[in-house]
Amino acid sequence: MNVRTFSRTDTSILGRWWWTIDRWVLAALLALVLSGVFLSFAGSPPVADRLNLGGFYFVKRHILLLAPSVCVMFAFSLLSPRQIRRLAFLIFFMGILALIFTIFYGTEIKGARRWFMVAGISVQASEFVKPAFAVLAAWMLAEKANHQEFPGVSISLCLLGLFVLLLLLQPDLGMTVIAVATWIGILFVAGIQLLWLGLAGGVGLTGLLATYLIFPHVRRRIDQFLSPEGMDPHHDLYQIHQSIEAFANGGFFGRGPGEGIIKKHLPDAHADFIFAVAGEEFGLLLCLALLGLFLFIILRSLARVVHDNSIFAILATAGLLIQFGLQALINMASSLHMIPTKGMTMPFISYGGCSMLALAMSMGMVLALTRKRHGDMDWL
């Protein structure tokens, strides 16, 4: 979009949006989206061929989801904080109902019920509940900061407990970790007493221990990570060994577009292991560029919102960025075997319909909350 299109005196919706939005963060987000298209061409055709879907099946679906995702991001970036709070409330409780429906009627894949089908499209309700929870938790803690008698911590803890309970019934440990980390992060930014933070950390560690003891698949993945020498490298550790080898083969500059091997062997090369595809074909340079984009978006957004007078805007932005950064970190760290393997998409890079739409919603909220609209009564 040409900056000369709108003058600074333009009072139209688009004019005010253009001059108040953080255009650097917007550009970085669009760069991530385009990188996702680029890597989709690199990593998904062999996966589609193995499934007899046609070489560009996942590429086409990925591109088809871009238009609604960009529209969702733009629409949410136009909202005021008051509208964001109201929408988050609606999305959270509709999402909770969808999670309950999923537990009973969802599609079971690899022992977990996290998805249900709507008109042939797989929907993961937790992806949409996640950003809505961050906004609601921030809202409750902002009210606590403004009115000391308001039970904001207790209410946000109840919302977290409801969300986590439904996640564990699916089960989905990765999403549970992100939800708990989001709540603890918002507590920390809000300056809540250390007693609450210590209690939250203790509950989180206890929950992790409980999931290790209760869920066999969690125990198996953690044991594989801690004691790989006792595992079968051709079965238990096959995917992670392929991923590590891909990074080693890629080196600094990569093997070149289309020259990668990992995508021919891994069933999730277009999703959970897209970072390994990037490392093998385009090398350390592209991996560092992607990491730089994520860091730039997070640090730039935090720096922009921290000068705002709205406690809610600061807390909500922090919570949404914690989710965004953690999701990227978990995907990268899993591919590099720095943590136990966890099926989680890389934001805007991996293939995944619900994930892309939910992330577009989340980052649209960040763009809205970091807009410079001082003096506008709708800002409250």
Side-chain angles (χ1 to χ4, degrees):
M1 187 179 296
N2 192 331
V3 296
R4 296 179 181 177
T5 304
F6 304 110
S7 69
R8 287 189 176 273
T9 57
D10 188 345
T11 58
S12 67
I13 293 177
L14 287 179
R16 285 183 294 169
W17 176 85
W18 178 249
W19 289 111
T20 56
I21 203 77
D22 189 336
R23 295 190 293 276
W24 284 103
V25 170
L26 178 62
L29 287 168
L30 293 177
L32 272 183
V33 169
L34 293 176
S35 298
V37 175
F38 180 65
L39 288 174
S40 180
F41 276 100
S44 66
V47 179
D49 283 336
R50 284 198 301 272
L51 298 173
N52 296 318
L53 296 173
F56 292 101
Y57 174 81
F58 292 114
V59 174
K60 293 175 182 177
R61 288 178 66 89
H62 189 96
I63 293 174
L64 281 174
L65 285 166
L66 285 183
S69 296
V70 171
C71 289
V72 165
M73 187 187 300
F74 171 71
F76 271 83
S77 71
L78 292 170
L79 301 177
S80 68
R82 180 182 300 160
Q83 292 169 329
I84 288 175
R85 289 194 294 265
R86 292 173 177 173
L87 266 178
F89 181 86
L90 179 64
I91 292 169
F92 181 84
F93 286 101
M94 288 182 63
I96 289 296
L97 293 176
L99 282 175
I100 295 172
F101 175 85
T102 303
I103 292 170
F104 291 100
Y105 303 104
T107 303
E108 184 172 333
I109 300 176
K110 297 179 181 179
R113 290 183 182 270
R114 303 173 190 169
W115 303 267
F116 62 91
M117 302 299 294
V118 176
I121 300 174
S122 180
V123 177
Q124 187 174 359
S126 58
E127 290 283 1
F128 298 95
V129 177
K130 180 177 62 174
F133 165 73
V135 172
L136 289 185
W139 184 10
M140 295 301 101
L141 292 175
E143 289 298 315
K144 170 69 175 177
N146 293 324
H147 310 284
Q148 287 299 315
E149 69 281 0
F150 184 79
V153 177
S154 300
I155 296 174
S156 66
L157 180 59
C158 290
L159 295 174
L160 174 68
L162 176 60
F163 187 24
V164 166
L165 174 63
L166 295 175
L167 288 174
L168 291 177
L169 289 175
Q170 292 186 342
D172 190 344
L173 179 62
M175 190 72 75
T176 300
V177 169
I178 289 181
V180 174
T182 300
W183 185 67
I184 294 176
I186 295 175
L187 282 179
F188 178 78
V189 175
I192 297 299
Q193 295 178 357
L194 291 177
L195 176 63
W196 275 104
L197 287 175
L199 179 62
V203 170
L205 291 174
T206 303
L208 283 176
L209 177 60
T211 56
Y212 176 82
L213 296 174
I214 295 172
F215 299 111
H217 73 284
V218 174
R219 187 184 313 120
R220 184 174 62 255
R221 288 187 177 184
I222 294 177
D223 289 344
Q224 287 173 359
F225 176 75
L226 296 176
S227 304
E229 65 278 357
M231 302 296 169
D232 181 2
H234 301 292
H235 177 66
D236 298 319
L237 301 175
Y238 175 75
Q239 292 200 100
I240 198 61
H241 277 185
Q242 290 287 322
S243 180
I244 295 297
E245 186 176 346
F247 285 108
N249 292 336
F252 198 78
F253 298 103
R255 303 179 63 159
E259 299 299 320
I261 298 174
I262 184 177
K263 59 191 179 184
K264 300 177 182 179
H265 302 292
L266 293 186
D268 296 321
H270 63 314
D272 300 344
F273 287 94
I274 192 69
F275 193 54
V277 173
E280 183 179 28
E281 298 200 3
F282 305 100
L284 180 63
L285 284 179
L286 181 61
C287 292
L288 290 178
L290 291 175
L291 178 61
L293 281 174
F294 285 113
L295 287 175
F296 176 80
I297 291 167
I298 293 168
L299 296 177
R300 168 89 181 184
S301 298
L302 286 174
R304 188 174 170 97
V305 78
V306 76
H307 299 295
D308 200 281
N309 294 322
S310 169
I311 298 175
F312 165 72
I314 295 172
L315 296 181
T317 300
L320 293 167
L321 291 174
I322 287 170
Q323 294 179 349
F324 179 72
L326 263 182
Q327 185 167 335
L329 180 63
I330 290 172
N331 180 278
M332 294 178 185
S334 295
S335 298
L336 291 165
H337 200 43
M338 297 173 66
I339 61 173
T341 55
K342 175 67 189 84
M344 187 165 290
T345 59
M346 180 180 287
F348 297 115
I349 303 295
S350 302
Y351 172 81
C354 278
S355 177
M356 185 179 294
L357 286 170
L359 283 162
M361 180 181 77
S362 176
M363 298 314 293
M365 291 179 182
V366 169
L367 288 171
L369 293 168
T370 56
R371 286 175 63 184
K372 297 300 182 184
R373 292 182 290 190
H374 301 297
D376 187 345
M377 291 304 295
D378 286 339
W379 177 248
L380 305 174

Short mmCIF file of all heavy atoms in Angstrom, two decimals, residues 16 36 38 82 94 148 252 266 272 283 289 320 322 324 327 366:
data_model
loop_
_atom_site.label_atom_id
_atom_site.label_comp_id
_atom_site.label_asym_id
_atom_site.label_seq_id
_atom_site.Cartn_x
_atom_site.Cartn_y
_atom_site.Cartn_z
N ARG A 16 -7.40 6.60 9.02
CA ARG A 16 -6.99 6.56 10.42
C ARG A 16 -6.25 5.27 10.72
O ARG A 16 -5.29 5.27 11.49
CB ARG A 16 -8.21 6.69 11.32
CG ARG A 16 -8.78 8.10 11.41
CD ARG A 16 -9.93 8.18 12.37
NE ARG A 16 -11.08 7.39 11.88
CZ ARG A 16 -12.15 7.11 12.61
NH1 ARG A 16 -12.23 7.52 13.86
NH2 ARG A 16 -13.15 6.42 12.10
N GLY A 36 5.65 -18.45 4.50
CA GLY A 36 4.88 -19.68 4.63
C GLY A 36 4.47 -20.24 3.28
O GLY A 36 4.51 -21.45 3.05
N PHE A 38 6.06 -19.70 0.43
CA PHE A 38 7.32 -20.13 -0.19
C PHE A 38 7.73 -21.51 0.32
O PHE A 38 8.06 -22.41 -0.47
CB PHE A 38 8.40 -19.09 0.13
CG PHE A 38 9.75 -19.40 -0.45
CD1 PHE A 38 9.94 -19.42 -1.82
CD2 PHE A 38 10.82 -19.66 0.39
CE1 PHE A 38 11.19 -19.69 -2.36
CE2 PHE A 38 12.07 -19.94 -0.14
CZ PHE A 38 12.25 -19.95 -1.52
N ARG A 82 -12.27 -1.92 23.60
CA ARG A 82 -13.59 -2.30 24.12
C ARG A 82 -14.23 -3.38 23.24
O ARG A 82 -14.78 -4.37 23.74
CB ARG A 82 -14.50 -1.07 24.17
CG ARG A 82 -15.90 -1.36 24.70
CD ARG A 82 -16.74 -0.10 24.65
NE ARG A 82 -16.14 0.94 25.48
CZ ARG A 82 -16.42 2.24 25.35
NH1 ARG A 82 -17.27 2.64 24.42
NH2 ARG A 82 -15.85 3.12 26.15
N MET A 94 -18.14 -19.41 23.38
CA MET A 94 -18.53 -20.25 22.24
C MET A 94 -17.48 -21.35 22.02
O MET A 94 -17.82 -22.50 21.73
CB MET A 94 -18.68 -19.40 20.98
CG MET A 94 -19.90 -18.50 20.97
SD MET A 94 -20.06 -17.57 19.43
CE MET A 94 -20.26 -18.88 18.25
N GLN A 148 -8.70 -2.43 43.45
CA GLN A 148 -8.03 -3.45 44.25
C GLN A 148 -8.98 -4.50 44.83
O GLN A 148 -8.59 -5.64 45.06
CB GLN A 148 -7.24 -2.78 45.38
CG GLN A 148 -6.00 -2.06 44.91
CD GLN A 148 -5.01 -3.01 44.25
OE1 GLN A 148 -4.74 -4.10 44.74
NE2 GLN A 148 -4.48 -2.61 43.10
N PHE A 252 25.19 -23.80 6.17
CA PHE A 252 24.98 -22.37 6.27
C PHE A 252 24.07 -21.84 5.15
O PHE A 252 23.19 -21.01 5.39
CB PHE A 252 26.33 -21.66 6.20
CG PHE A 252 26.29 -20.25 6.70
CD1 PHE A 252 26.28 -19.98 8.07
CD2 PHE A 252 26.23 -19.18 5.83
CE1 PHE A 252 26.23 -18.68 8.54
CE2 PHE A 252 26.18 -17.87 6.29
CZ PHE A 252 26.18 -17.62 7.65
N LEU A 266 9.29 -37.68 5.90
CA LEU A 266 8.49 -37.35 7.08
C LEU A 266 7.06 -37.01 6.71
O LEU A 266 6.81 -36.22 5.80
CB LEU A 266 9.11 -36.16 7.82
CG LEU A 266 10.47 -36.38 8.47
CD1 LEU A 266 10.87 -35.17 9.28
CD2 LEU A 266 10.47 -37.62 9.34
N ASP A 272 4.57 -29.86 11.22
CA ASP A 272 5.38 -29.81 12.43
C ASP A 272 6.87 -29.67 12.16
O ASP A 272 7.61 -29.12 12.98
CB ASP A 272 5.15 -31.07 13.28
CG ASP A 272 3.70 -31.21 13.71
OD1 ASP A 272 2.96 -30.21 13.62
OD2 ASP A 272 3.30 -32.30 14.13
N GLY A 283 19.25 -23.47 4.48
CA GLY A 283 20.34 -23.30 5.41
C GLY A 283 20.07 -22.42 6.62
O GLY A 283 18.95 -21.97 6.87
N ALA A 289 16.75 -15.82 9.65
CA ALA A 289 15.85 -14.77 9.16
C ALA A 289 14.44 -14.96 9.74
O ALA A 289 13.80 -13.98 10.17
CB ALA A 289 15.80 -14.78 7.64
N LEU A 320 -0.90 -12.12 24.31
CA LEU A 320 -0.99 -12.59 22.93
C LEU A 320 0.39 -12.86 22.34
O LEU A 320 0.60 -13.82 21.60
CB LEU A 320 -1.74 -11.57 22.08
CG LEU A 320 -3.23 -11.39 22.41
CD1 LEU A 320 -3.79 -10.16 21.73
CD2 LEU A 320 -4.03 -12.63 22.00
N ILE A 322 3.11 -13.65 24.09
CA ILE A 322 3.64 -14.84 24.75
C ILE A 322 3.19 -16.09 23.99
O ILE A 322 3.98 -17.00 23.73
CB ILE A 322 3.20 -14.89 26.22
CG1 ILE A 322 3.97 -13.84 27.04
CG2 ILE A 322 3.44 -16.28 26.82
CD1 ILE A 322 3.44 -13.66 28.44
N PHE A 324 2.19 -16.28 20.84
CA PHE A 324 2.79 -16.25 19.51
C PHE A 324 4.24 -16.72 19.56
O PHE A 324 4.67 -17.59 18.78
CB PHE A 324 2.71 -14.81 18.98
CG PHE A 324 3.30 -14.60 17.61
CD1 PHE A 324 2.68 -15.08 16.48
CD2 PHE A 324 4.48 -13.89 17.46
CE1 PHE A 324 3.22 -14.88 15.21
CE2 PHE A 324 5.03 -13.67 16.21
CZ PHE A 324 4.39 -14.17 15.09
N GLN A 327 4.63 -20.56 20.70
CA GLN A 327 4.28 -21.51 19.64
C GLN A 327 5.42 -21.65 18.65
O GLN A 327 5.76 -22.77 18.24
CB GLN A 327 3.00 -21.06 18.93
CG GLN A 327 2.50 -22.07 17.91
CD GLN A 327 1.08 -21.77 17.45
OE1 GLN A 327 0.31 -21.15 18.15
NE2 GLN A 327 0.74 -22.24 16.25
N VAL A 366 -3.26 -7.74 18.28
CA VAL A 366 -2.01 -7.06 18.65
C VAL A 366 -1.86 -5.76 17.85
O VAL A 366 -1.51 -4.71 18.41
CB VAL A 366 -0.80 -7.99 18.41
CG1 VAL A 366 0.51 -7.21 18.54
CG2 VAL A 366 -0.82 -9.15 19.39
#
